[in-house]
Amino acid sequence: MNFGFTEEQELLRDQVRKFLDAQSPVSRVREIMHTDEGFDRQIWQQIAALGWLGLVVDPEYDGVGLGFVDLIVILEEMGKSLFPSPFIAHSLAASTLNELASDDQKKRHLNDLASGRKIGTIALLDIHDLPNAESITLSGVIHEDGVVLNGKKLFVMDADNADLFIVAFKDQHETYLALIHRDQTGVSTQGSATMDLTKRTGSLELDNVSVATQDLLLTDDENINRLLDKAAVAVTAEMIGAAEAVIYMTTHYAKDRIQFDNPIGKYQGVKHRLAEMYVDVESFRSLLYYAAWCVDESPHELPRSASLAKAYASDAFSQIGTDGVQLHGAIGFTQEYDMQLYLKRSKWARPIFGDADYHYERISQLQVTD
Amino acid sequence: MDFEYTQAEETFRHEVRTFLDENLPPKDQRGADFMAQWLKKVRAKRWVGFAWPQEVGGGGGDIMQQVILKEEMAKRQAPPLGTCMMGLAWVGPGIIQYGTDEQKTRFIPDILNSKYHWCTGYSEPNVGSDLAALQCKAILDGDHYVINGTKIWTSLAPFAQWISMLVRTDNFGSTATKHDGITALLVDLSSPGIEIKPIENMAGGKVFAQIFFDNVRVPVNNRLGKEGQGWAVTIASLANERSSIGEVTAMYAKLDSLKMLIKDSQRQGKPAMEDQKIRRRLAVFEAKIEAMRLNGLRYLTRQIKGEPLSSETSVNKLHRADLEVEMSDFAIDVLGQSGLQLGNQLETIDRGKWARESLGWPNVVIGGGTPNIQKNIIAERILGLPKD
């Protein structure tokens, strides 16, 4: 029984922390988030050199061959620093190819992702943001040479920055993934910034895009849902780090800010709310660590554990973001103060890959079918 | 991360399960002498005081074995491993760690053999959360202490024969060093000058009481630890596992019975499970209980590695305080008026369990520190915020 991280994982955490503190402090994050691309290609190449971009890719395809628990160590720290980059989208794309693609497909695409030569993302969802395989509507008829796709994928993370899109579609009853390159004829993206400028999203438009058979991957709904669960796990890992940062900043403020002759952290109205935040972060941290472990070690438990973590975190973190600002008083909602950036992250994280309502309902449905 | 158990741990789990298969008949098939037999058998297995050293008659179980034993017992809703609850939880560990050889021989076997009840005297009418301000005093007079004062909210006092209590032996009236003048005494409740007045709680139970001490003479030999060491004595816990696995397993069982109840219930003319709000609340309970389970396993891991645990266990205490109340209240909400019956009659739904538990929560919520105190503990000891 060991529900903790290994020594290597703790070293990785230290490495990530030091790197982000040096290369991407919040002052730098603020600069990056106002650029068109929304991320820093130089830092991205440094990350590639450190091996993070191929962390969950097998060594024979230029990866490091580690697992999802290692990945969340990095994500937690990235969340703490609000590090702006396509890291989640890219890691999910790489992880998907690593698990599902043929050897030939891996050679043609995965090495590029793992080494950082190309950026990948996943494009699964269509008309609405119901994050499950059953809601995929993009369809295509498979013929001898492949498929021609027409349609639009919404809620594509880092759409404008990605080179390779992993696109889900259906042919009758089968579910496929198509590996589509940005340069292909008929491919276009429309980026959109959310209120959280450190997170970029967008849509992918496919106008008579031909995908050759060699870039098609027959899969099933279970695998798509597994991918969505991994996405929820990745996003929740960042939420832990960000929520921890809110507690840290607010606790410091509560120790320093004097009102009525005392630090405001002496008053129970303030200190109890901070204690409640701590209880919530400890709790969704535990749920998330377990879900991350399930990804590689106990896949049949992943749907329930991922939903429990994302559900709890979605409600708790959004309250933490709001209260973090409120406990700071007026300074908390100034543009200059960093607290508001975390509030925006909490708003961004809440609905993505399923909000609390969605995941709680799913937990209840999972039991009905048990 | 690794959630596997070692071969030795699996063997121990198997031993516990086999024992339960053989010795724990279903509730309706238990005879009149079942409990006496049960206590004898678990005592023979040395599972009573399982965490205690073998020299004093305990089981010497390591942390993981304690977890496994508690989990398996809770899964089968087995009766307690001993009936001397306060003795097993608090008094025994204090005596083992701080007691004299004479005290160990005199008291420990009786606790392990469920001979009689102990209670613990901490709170006083004016002293609750701020326990170190206690005023019940004991003055040394030759080879006796003479106690004057009162203790209140003392659980099990109406049935107990002995009390382990904190008294003030020094620093009377001083607040600066109030932790220092406190001493622990072991007191025979049949001593002259003691009066016990049971207090009825709102569910109708009479399990706690106020105790009055009027010139009660206690031999110095019954002092536990040194004079002034009382504060340390009360927090002795003898390498107990702190995963709260027993509580979590019991709460999962409670959630299961709540789900059963709701599956059979109607709400506004429709099956209750068709109501999304109801499904959501059940799922929220599940998320919190699972979080408690996993928090416990993280703390357990640290305990096994020998890392110090600060006040992290307050996290699960707070969850449990919330959940015990909310789950029972939720059952009553779904049941409507028929959920309000307290009676233990057959025709009452679940024999009035939900109504009783919705009023019985003070044990869980107040005992061992109110939620406000747990929040103070987290804010001050973990987050480092100033004391209030």
Side-chain angles (χ1 to χ4, degrees):
Chain A
M1 172 63 61
N2 179 0
F3 193 13
F5 293 97
T6 62
E7 212 172 306
E8 290 79 10
Q9 286 161 342
E10 294 297 354
L11 286 171
L12 175 63
R13 186 185 295 279
D14 285 349
Q15 183 196 39
V16 180
R17 184 76 264 133
K18 282 186 187 131
F19 178 85
L20 293 175
D21 283 347
Q23 303 299 324
S24 189
V26 185
S27 53
R28 179 73 191 122
V29 169
R30 283 174 176 269
E31 290 167 7
I32 298 170
M33 74 187 197
H34 288 295
T35 61
D36 285 344
E37 283 196 317
F39 79 112
D40 181 331
R41 285 196 184 263
Q42 217 179 335
I43 299 180
W44 187 253
Q45 286 313 315
Q46 288 174 294
I47 287 177
L50 289 168
W52 301 353
L53 298 186
L55 198 82
V56 292
V57 173
D58 294 340
E60 49 185 311
Y61 304 105
D62 280 355
V64 184
L66 294 179
F68 231 75
V69 173
D70 304 281
L71 187 70
I72 62 150
V73 169
I74 297 182
L75 286 167
E76 212 182 307
E77 297 306 318
M78 287 183 168
K80 205 177 281 176
S81 294
L82 298 178
F83 177 63
S85 86
F87 187 76
I88 287 186
H90 183 86
S91 299
L92 291 170
S95 169
T96 306
L97 292 184
N98 197 61
E99 277 185 19
L100 301 177
S102 68
D103 181 57
D104 165 65
Q105 289 168 334
K106 287 180 184 176
K107 277 184 183 136
R108 284 184 298 108
H109 299 289
L110 193 50
N111 291 65
D112 283 346
L113 295 188
S115 60
R117 282 189 295 274
K118 281 178 185 157
I119 294 172
T121 190
I122 54 172
L124 308 180
L125 309 176
D126 300 273
I127 43 174
H128 48 61
D129 58 353
L130 208 57
N132 57 36
E134 294 73 18
S135 306
I136 291 170
T137 52
L138 181 67
S139 64
V141 181
I142 304 282
H143 55 79
E144 235 169 71
D145 304 324
V147 71
V148 175
L149 292 175
N150 273 297
K152 194 175 185 176
K153 286 286 178 184
L154 300 180
F155 317 106
V156 180
M157 294 175 106
D158 305 287
D160 271 354
N161 291 323
D163 306 300
L164 182 73
F165 298 85
I166 300 184
V167 180
F169 71 96
K170 304 230 171 178
D171 170 25
Q172 304 262 351
H173 303 294
E174 307 285 10
T175 306
Y176 287 85
L177 291 173
L179 313 182
I180 297 177
H181 201 272
R182 162 175 300 282
D183 297 343
Q184 281 173 249
T185 314
V187 175
S188 62
T189 57
Q190 181 70 50
S192 64
T194 64
M195 71 160 76
D196 179 359
L197 291 176
T198 64
K199 289 290 184 188
R200 300 303 171 95
T201 182
S203 56
L204 169 70
E205 191 117 25
L206 303 170
D207 180 14
N208 275 321
V209 175
S210 295
V211 185
T213 307
Q214 60 169 359
D215 283 326
L216 287 181
L217 220 162
L218 175 62
T219 182
D220 54 32
D221 284 1
E222 202 180 320
N223 275 325
I224 301 285
N225 284 332
R226 173 175 163 78
L227 173 53
L228 286 158
D229 282 333
K230 289 198 289 186
V233 167
V235 168
T236 309
E238 278 197 333
M239 293 161 85
I240 297 174
E244 216 177 356
V246 173
I247 294 179
Y248 181 82
M249 290 170 70
T250 314
T251 302
H252 270 258
Y253 184 75
K255 287 178 191 172
D256 292 345
R257 171 78 172 165
I258 310 285
Q259 286 292 284
F260 305 106
D261 301 327
N262 286 304
I264 58 169
K266 195 172 154 72
Y267 305 125
Q268 293 194 344
V270 173
K271 69 164 30 159
H272 283 186
R273 182 58 202 126
L274 279 162
E276 288 159 7
M277 290 180 179
Y278 177 84
V279 168
D280 279 338
V281 176
E282 276 290 280
S283 298
F284 73 73
R285 178 198 300 281
S286 295
L287 290 169
L288 185 277
Y289 288 173
Y290 189 73
W293 178 81
C294 288
V295 170
D296 293 320
E297 305 296 334
S298 188
H300 74 281
E301 286 184 273
L302 179 61
R304 174 177 182 262
S305 61
S307 278
L308 286 169
K310 182 63 171 59
Y312 195 127
S314 292
D315 275 351
F317 181 35
S318 74
Q319 193 61 51
I320 287 170
T322 305
D323 291 347
V325 166
Q326 188 239 309
L327 289 171
H328 277 80
I331 197 171
F333 67 93
T334 60
Q335 192 66 251
E336 181 192 346
Y337 206 75
D338 294 336
M339 192 59 229
Q340 50 101 3
L341 299 175
Y342 288 90
L343 169 68
K344 288 169 183 167
R345 173 60 65 86
S346 76
K347 300 257 184 221
W348 176 85
R350 192 174 198 191
I352 190 156
F353 297 117
D355 62 10
D357 283 340
Y358 172 80
H359 284 288
Y360 280 128
E361 178 63 16
R362 182 168 180 238
I363 290 157
S364 134
Q365 297 303 332
L366 282 170
Q367 289 171 350
V368 175
T369 52
D370 268 353
Chain B
M1 286 175 198
D2 166 19
F3 296 87
E4 299 282 304
Y5 293 91
T6 64
Q7 191 56 48
E9 287 161 359
E10 292 291 6
T11 307
F12 180 67
R13 190 184 292 279
H14 181 73
E15 180 190 337
V16 178
R17 285 184 180 169
T18 311
F19 175 87
L20 290 173
D21 288 342
E22 288 166 4
N23 295 296
L24 186 67
K27 270 194 179 148
D28 50 357
Q29 291 169 32
R30 293 177 195 168
D33 67 337
F34 164 76
M35 199 55 200
Q37 289 299 319
W38 166 262
L39 289 173
K40 224 165 155 183
K41 285 176 188 163
V42 292
R43 178 76 185 101
K45 295 291 274 182
R46 291 213 168 208
W47 288 347
V48 190
F50 189 52
W52 298 0
Q54 292 194 334
E55 305 88 83
V56 298
D62 65 27
I63 301 272
M64 278 312 295
Q65 287 176 331
Q66 293 173 42
V67 169
I68 291 165
L69 181 64
K70 277 189 198 164
E71 187 180 13
E72 292 302 320
M73 290 287 162
K75 264 188 204 160
R76 302 279 282 268
Q77 299 185 33
L81 291 169
T83 56
C84 184
M85 269 119 68
M86 294 296 176
L88 290 167
W90 305 108
V91 184
I95 293 175
I96 292 166
Q97 204 169 336
Y98 294 93
T100 60
D101 287 343
E102 188 258 333
Q103 287 169 342
K104 285 181 200 167
T105 336
R106 185 169 171 200
F107 296 119
I108 296 298
D110 286 352
I111 292 175
L112 292 171
N113 293 324
S114 302
K115 274 260 178 76
Y116 48 81
H117 282 293
W118 277 81
C119 59
T120 52
Y122 302 139
S123 296
E124 297 174 11
N126 294 317
V127 179
S129 300
D130 185 12
L131 184 58
L134 63 90
Q135 291 160 5
C136 183
K137 67 179 174 187
I139 305 290
L140 198 56
D141 176 24
D143 53 2
H144 281 74
Y145 283 101
V146 181
I147 309 177
N148 277 290
T150 179
K151 292 285 172 185
I152 198 168
W153 321 127
T154 312
S155 292
L156 301 182
F159 325 107
Q161 291 186 26
W162 281 80
I163 182 170
S164 169
M165 64 188 291
L166 292 181
V167 292
R168 179 160 297 286
T169 46
D170 201 354
N171 288 347
F172 303 98
S174 152
T175 53
T177 52
K178 59 189 181 184
H179 280 83
D180 288 339
I182 295 172
T183 301
L185 296 179
L186 307 173
V187 182
D188 184 342
L189 284 170
S190 63
S191 312
I194 290 181
E195 191 190 352
I196 301 173
K197 281 195 173 163
I199 302 169
E200 186 171 357
N201 70 28
M202 65 181 169
K206 288 182 188 168
V207 288
F208 60 1
Q210 180 165 10
I211 311 178
F212 298 90
F213 299 84
D214 178 16
N215 284 313
V216 176
R217 297 183 71 81
V218 181
V220 170
N221 286 347
N222 285 12
R223 186 183 67 213
L224 185 53
K226 298 191 182 103
E227 193 169 289
Q229 205 182 20
W231 199 251
V233 168
T234 54
I235 55 175
S237 62
L238 288 183
N240 270 323
E241 69 86 15
R242 294 168 73 187
S243 72
S244 53
I245 191 76
E247 290 88 336
V248 169
T249 312
M251 288 171 73
Y252 259 121
K254 186 168 177 174
L255 180 64
D256 279 343
S257 54
L258 188 57
K259 284 181 188 165
M260 298 280 283
L261 173 80
I262 288 170
K263 267 184 194 136
D264 294 337
S265 298
Q266 298 268 317
R267 194 77 181 129
Q268 306 192 29
K270 287 183 192 156
M273 282 303 270
E274 285 181 14
D275 183 337
Q276 199 200 343
K277 287 201 298 294
I278 286 179
R279 293 198 300 272
R280 192 188 203 277
R281 281 194 72 181
L282 284 173
V284 171
F285 291 143
E286 183 167 340
K288 286 188 181 169
I289 297 171
E290 179 68 358
M292 281 181 71
R293 181 180 80 89
L294 295 168
N295 286 340
L297 291 181
R298 280 204 297 126
Y299 302 147
L300 178 68
T301 298
R302 287 171 51 185
Q303 217 186 344
I304 292 170
K305 286 182 182 164
E307 291 171 21
L309 276 184
S310 164
S311 306
E312 286 85 350
T313 47
S314 290
V315 170
N316 276 359
K317 275 193 198 142
L318 277 166
H319 273 312
R320 186 167 173 231
D322 276 350
L323 284 164
E324 291 282 355
V325 180
E326 285 173 14
M327 284 164 74
S328 302
D329 282 354
F330 182 51
I332 293 179
D333 285 352
V334 173
L335 288 168
Q337 294 193 45
S338 48
L340 296 171
Q341 287 166 291
L342 273 173
N344 187 16
Q345 301 90 349
L346 269 178
E347 62 274 18
T348 316
I349 294 169
D350 288 340
R351 292 185 153 233
K353 163 184 144 101
W354 302 105
R356 252 194 325 283
E357 288 182 6
S358 85
L359 295 178
W361 55 264
N363 285 342
V364 179
V365 177
I366 311 288
T370 65
N372 281 342
I373 291 297
Q374 303 299 339
K375 287 175 196 173
N376 279 356
I377 289 173
I378 290 172
E380 290 164 16
R381 296 191 202 158
I382 298 178
L383 300 178
L385 288 163
K387 277 180 175 283
D388 58 13

